[in-house]
Amino acid sequence: MRAYILYKDKSVKGFKRLITSGGQVFDKYRALATSFIRYAGGDLDKNLAEYDAIIDLNSINLESVFPASYKWLVSNVSLKNLREYLESVEKRITEFDGKEDNLKILVGMLFLRFVLLTKIVETYLSVVGEIAKSGYDISQLGLRDIGIGKSVLKYFDTLQDFDTKTVDDWLNYKVDAGTAKYFYSSMKRILSILVGNNDW
Amino acid sequence: MNMSIYTVTYDFSEINKEFKKSSYSRSTKLLEDVLSGKVCERKRSTGYIVKVLDSGARFINLFGLFVDSNRGDIALGLFPNPNDYISIGNIYDLIAKYMFGSKEIPDHVDKKFLLESLKLNVAGCIMDIDTEVYKTEEYVPEFDSVILNLANQLKHQRLCRSFEGYDKNRDTCICTIIKTCANILSSIVKASRSFFGAFIEESNVKEIGANSLINFDLHTILDSGKPNLEALTDKYIMMGVSPDLLFALKSYGYGIKQRSLIVDSIVKLSNRSGLDNKKDIYSLGDKLSSMSYLSTKATAINGVDTIFNILDMLRAVGWDNSLFFSLEMIQKEKNRFIYDSVVNKFCIKDIIKESGIKESDFVKGILEYKESVLPVISYGYMYTRKPSNVGYCLSTHSIRQLISAGNVFHMAGELVSDKFKTVGGQE
């Protein structure tokens, strides 16, 4: 879990900087994004500490928890790459002048991945935490055992495609107004589902 | 948690003036009696509401009233927020008065256990408790589970000796408590209906938020002939009525007609002189608790009152969602692991066996509770505030959220990804 926690902490800082310096990078869903970032940088830490008191988080290896075909979502390498990717986007943010939609979609994808991953991890921890309190051994419990199998994860296959795209690819990305608008509305809808219902 | 109690003042004089202008003859007298604590037999000055914050209350639906097993507060509203509620009385004061004939429950009696025994097993309420046994380490509940505790008592069949200082007939006292709770509930429901009138009975989901009439006069809304609960709520808020009070009152709205009839019949029945059929009284007690949400389908399930009581208790300790989720796991993955964990943890098999309920009926009861109760608790925004999640109980909601979000993302993600594949894909 150490790699995830480091990824989480760095991402929260990175997204906070983007909100303050990156203009309307979160477009229509700014309020929801801000709400989640605030949660991820505050109450989520408290929740993780509570889970840690029951199940030693260091003993959880997310690569074993996720199905084999979805290890790419949580491998140490991939999480480190995501952190570094976000940093490189920040460094090159001025190059997106005049290509604001490109930047917004890129950051949106990174942010959504962060939110989804956090949601999955926290759901997993809450379930196994309760089971651990009953005295049962949770070391063999994976996502599939708690109902998050391929039927849920298949929707995030597209995220893997974006792993291959460099910042230069995004700078050269050809996006029309219609696609951008549809994307922002979708992001707002997705975040309303995940964040807006005050489960956090 | 640092609990704080503070008061919110209220003055209904302006509203009473407006009521007089409308064609409805109404007053806020009933509501004021509820808020002052008068209906709960508590002497309190009028003109303010008692709010309790951050108390970490553990609410049990006891004979229709939501009471906190920790402090004994009787909260206004159905399914109140444990960390933010209005208190209108204290159940322990009433139990002390009617069961012990004193101002307070004797120290040697475990109040929480007594309350939760009344909730779970009225007919076989263990009134005579072996207090020494209960206070030994053998019965200190490992997980603060009253169900586990009670199940252990049943399992070992510990017999009892009388309370000291308790010299009244046991059944009469229980009847009196049930009758008192029924009277309180009846008063609250009447106050709620009086304050919101026909709006609370006839509003439906389609009218929520539609045609907000906040610029209208109150009596225009009342005389409009068009029920719109949200518009009326907005108007009351503008007039200075506490939103928390309004939400709490509105929560009785769901099935309010049915509830009023049942409560009134229970009050009449329990007031009837010569009533000495214990079984009827106990079943009425169970019905009072579960009547908030009993459907016709539910009544066909054997032991549904007991099952709903068990699920109420699981909800109070934050384990109801785990049980619902476990049934989904059995259905989809043929995996009983979580179901067995929950059922064993709370010795539910022992409890339902003692009550003569089959496991198949128990499962039917769980599904019915999930179908008919959860929508009121979790999604009945019209009438209730969404209760906060206490602790980190499992949410089956989370998985559905992931699927819904994933579905939306799948389409948007593919569209964005496709743009990388267009000819040139580059400027």
Side-chain angles (χ1 to χ4, degrees):
Chain A
M1 282 282 297
R2 194 175 297 168
Y4 165 75
I5 292 172
L6 190 59
Y7 159 70
K8 174 195 79 69
D9 291 338
K10 296 280 184 190
S11 298
V12 164
K13 287 179 183 161
F15 288 123
K16 268 187 191 166
R17 286 193 294 266
L18 281 170
I19 283 180
T20 50
S21 66
Q24 289 296 314
V25 72
F26 287 113
D27 205 84
K28 287 181 192 173
Y29 53 91
R30 183 189 168 97
L32 290 164
T34 310
S35 168
F36 177 72
I37 290 168
R38 197 178 304 127
Y39 165 77
D43 285 344
L44 176 57
D45 287 329
K46 287 181 200 162
N47 290 348
L48 288 174
E50 283 176 352
Y51 297 136
D52 193 39
I54 302 169
I55 38 177
D56 179 17
L57 291 185
N58 285 333
S59 68
I60 294 183
N61 180 2
L62 284 179
E63 288 187 44
S64 307
V65 165
F66 276 67
S69 51
Y70 287 94
K71 285 194 197 311
W72 56 267
L73 267 171
V74 286
S75 67
N76 291 347
V77 168
S78 118
L79 292 176
K80 185 178 177 217
N81 287 345
L82 282 169
R83 281 182 359 235
E84 289 173 351
Y85 198 92
L86 186 60
E87 282 167 10
S88 63
V89 169
E90 283 183 78
K91 283 177 188 163
R92 299 180 64 178
I93 202 167
T94 50
E95 294 177 46
F96 284 91
D97 284 345
K99 295 178 185 176
E100 283 74 22
D101 279 339
N102 295 39
L103 177 65
K104 286 179 189 178
I105 294 176
L106 164 57
V107 172
M109 284 297 179
L110 289 170
F111 183 69
L112 180 61
R113 187 159 176 171
F114 175 46
V115 173
L116 284 168
L117 191 52
T118 301
K119 182 76 175 181
I120 293 172
V121 167
E122 208 177 1
T123 301
Y124 175 75
L125 289 176
S126 78
V127 177
V128 298
E130 290 296 337
I131 293 174
K133 277 202 303 187
S134 304
Y136 288 89
D137 177 26
I138 57 146
S139 59
Q140 304 302 316
L141 284 181
L143 280 188
R144 199 175 174 279
D145 295 309
I146 65 161
I148 304 179
K150 197 162 181 202
S151 56
V152 177
L153 295 172
K154 67 181 181 189
Y155 292 114
F156 311 127
D157 283 343
T158 320
L159 286 173
Q160 194 171 25
D161 290 345
F162 294 111
D163 278 352
T164 62
K165 303 292 180 282
T166 63
V167 177
D168 287 314
D169 288 331
W170 281 101
L171 278 166
N172 295 323
Y173 181 62
K174 195 173 176 187
V175 61
D176 55 275
T179 302
K181 198 174 162 189
Y182 179 72
F183 177 79
Y184 305 141
S185 298
S186 299
M187 283 297 290
K188 189 175 175 192
R189 174 86 190 113
I190 291 166
L191 288 176
S192 296
I193 293 168
L194 295 177
V195 178
N197 283 335
N198 295 325
D199 262 1
W200 280 314
Chain B
M1 283 181 180
N2 294 321
M3 185 181 67
S4 58
I5 300 175
Y6 69 95
T7 57
V8 175
T9 55
Y10 68 80
D11 176 10
F12 290 130
S13 55
E14 286 304 309
I15 292 181
N16 283 333
K17 280 183 199 165
E18 292 290 330
F19 281 166
K20 282 179 187 164
K21 287 185 201 169
S22 80
S23 57
Y24 288 96
S25 169
R26 198 185 304 164
S27 80
T28 52
K29 172 84 174 54
L30 280 170
L31 181 55
E32 295 189 65
D33 285 347
V34 168
L35 295 176
S36 70
K38 186 178 166 190
V39 296
C40 296
E41 303 178 20
R42 169 180 268 193
K43 285 182 187 172
R44 188 191 293 167
S45 303
T46 55
Y48 63 84
I49 300 163
V50 178
K51 286 257 321 192
V52 184
L53 299 181
D54 296 329
S55 64
R58 195 165 96 177
F59 284 116
I60 303 172
N61 180 350
L62 185 73
F63 311 139
L65 298 177
F66 276 76
V67 301
D68 169 28
S69 65
N70 293 326
R71 287 162 35 87
D73 283 331
I74 300 173
L76 183 69
L78 296 182
F79 309 109
N81 183 336
N83 292 314
D84 183 357
Y85 61 91
I86 295 172
S87 167
I88 57 171
N90 193 292
I91 194 72
Y92 291 135
D93 291 347
L94 296 171
I95 290 175
K97 179 179 174 184
Y98 292 112
M99 286 187 175
F100 297 91
S102 61
K103 284 187 182 172
E104 285 184 13
I105 296 175
D107 288 338
H108 66 266
V109 175
D110 189 302
K111 294 194 291 195
K112 212 162 143 178
F113 183 83
L114 175 59
L115 188 72
E116 292 170 341
S117 299
L118 277 171
K119 162 66 181 176
L120 197 59
N121 192 0
V122 175
C125 179
I126 304 175
M127 286 304 299
D128 299 329
I129 294 177
D130 185 335
T131 57
E132 280 186 20
V133 169
Y134 184 63
K135 281 190 181 289
T136 61
E137 285 196 15
E138 189 180 350
Y139 284 101
V140 171
E142 189 182 340
F143 298 105
D144 192 27
S145 163
V146 70
I147 297 178
L148 178 65
N149 209 354
L150 185 60
N152 276 335
Q153 291 276 346
L154 291 170
K155 200 194 294 187
H156 294 110
Q157 292 184 1
R158 298 305 282 254
L159 296 176
C160 331
R161 54 184 175 74
S162 304
F163 281 135
E164 287 176 22
Y166 170 51
D167 58 359
K168 291 189 183 175
N169 176 274
R170 173 177 78 186
D171 299 330
T172 305
C173 291
I174 297 180
C175 293
T176 310
I177 291 291
I178 293 174
K179 189 170 69 178
T180 307
C181 290
N183 279 326
I184 294 171
L185 184 59
S186 176
S187 302
I188 297 173
V189 170
K190 280 180 184 152
S192 184
R193 281 179 88 181
S194 173
F195 197 63
F196 282 105
F199 294 82
I200 203 170
E201 296 177 33
E202 294 168 20
S203 285
N204 59 51
V205 178
K206 287 178 190 170
E207 287 159 347
I208 300 308
N211 305 320
S212 179
L213 302 175
I214 57 172
N215 293 320
F216 284 46
D217 289 336
L218 179 63
H219 65 87
T220 307
I221 297 173
L222 295 174
D223 292 342
S224 68
K226 186 180 175 190
N228 187 320
L229 188 59
E230 289 307 306
L232 187 57
T233 307
D234 285 344
K235 189 64 194 175
Y236 280 145
I237 291 174
M238 282 176 60
M239 293 177 80
V241 181
S242 160
D244 298 325
L245 170 62
L246 295 170
F247 292 138
L249 289 173
K250 281 200 314 185
S251 69
Y252 293 100
Y254 182 78
I256 197 167
K257 274 186 187 164
Q258 179 200 32
R259 183 172 305 112
S260 295
L261 287 170
I262 294 176
V263 176
D264 287 345
S265 67
I266 289 172
V267 170
K268 279 180 199 160
L269 195 61
S270 57
N271 281 333
R272 206 172 72 198
S273 59
L275 180 70
D276 58 3
N277 188 330
K278 283 183 240 178
K279 196 179 167 192
D280 285 340
I281 286 292
Y282 297 148
S283 75
L284 285 176
D286 277 344
K287 279 197 172 19
L288 264 177
S289 291
S290 53
M291 50 104 81
S292 303
Y293 29 71
L294 268 187
S295 60
T296 315
K297 203 168 150 196
T299 47
I301 300 170
N302 175 37
V304 70
D305 296 333
T306 304
I307 295 169
F308 277 21
N309 276 344
I310 291 172
L311 291 169
D312 275 357
M313 292 304 303
L314 285 177
R315 180 169 180 78
V317 295
W319 274 82
D320 55 328
N321 278 331
S322 300
L323 192 61
F324 303 142
F325 180 67
S326 72
L327 291 187
E328 288 185 23
M329 286 295 291
I330 293 175
Q331 190 186 16
K332 287 182 188 164
E333 310 277 346
K334 308 280 186 271
N335 185 336
R336 281 183 65 107
F337 182 77
I338 297 181
Y339 177 81
D340 288 337
S341 302
V342 177
V343 163
N344 290 335
K345 176 180 166 117
F346 292 105
C347 297
I348 288 175
K349 281 189 181 165
D350 289 335
I351 297 173
I352 60 176
K353 191 179 165 191
E354 289 281 338
S355 310
I357 299 170
K358 291 183 197 167
E359 192 176 47
S360 55
D361 284 326
F362 179 60
V363 170
K364 279 184 204 166
I366 297 171
L367 294 171
E368 178 56 27
Y369 187 96
K370 188 181 166 193
E371 195 181 302
S372 63
V373 177
L374 279 192
V376 176
I377 298 171
S378 303
Y379 307 117
Y381 297 118
M382 173 168 62
Y383 294 119
T384 68
R385 252 191 313 192
K386 187 176 176 188
S388 62
N389 287 329
V390 179
Y392 33 81
C393 58
L394 166 64
S395 173
T396 53
H397 205 42
S398 293
I399 306 230
R400 290 205 189 92
Q401 283 178 324
L402 282 165
I403 293 174
S404 298
N407 222 333
V408 177
F409 171 69
H410 179 66
M411 290 183 286
E414 292 229 302
L415 185 65
V416 171
S417 179
D418 282 348
K419 292 291 177 185
F420 278 103
K421 298 170 193 164
T422 52
V423 174
Q426 303 180 6
E427 290 181 340

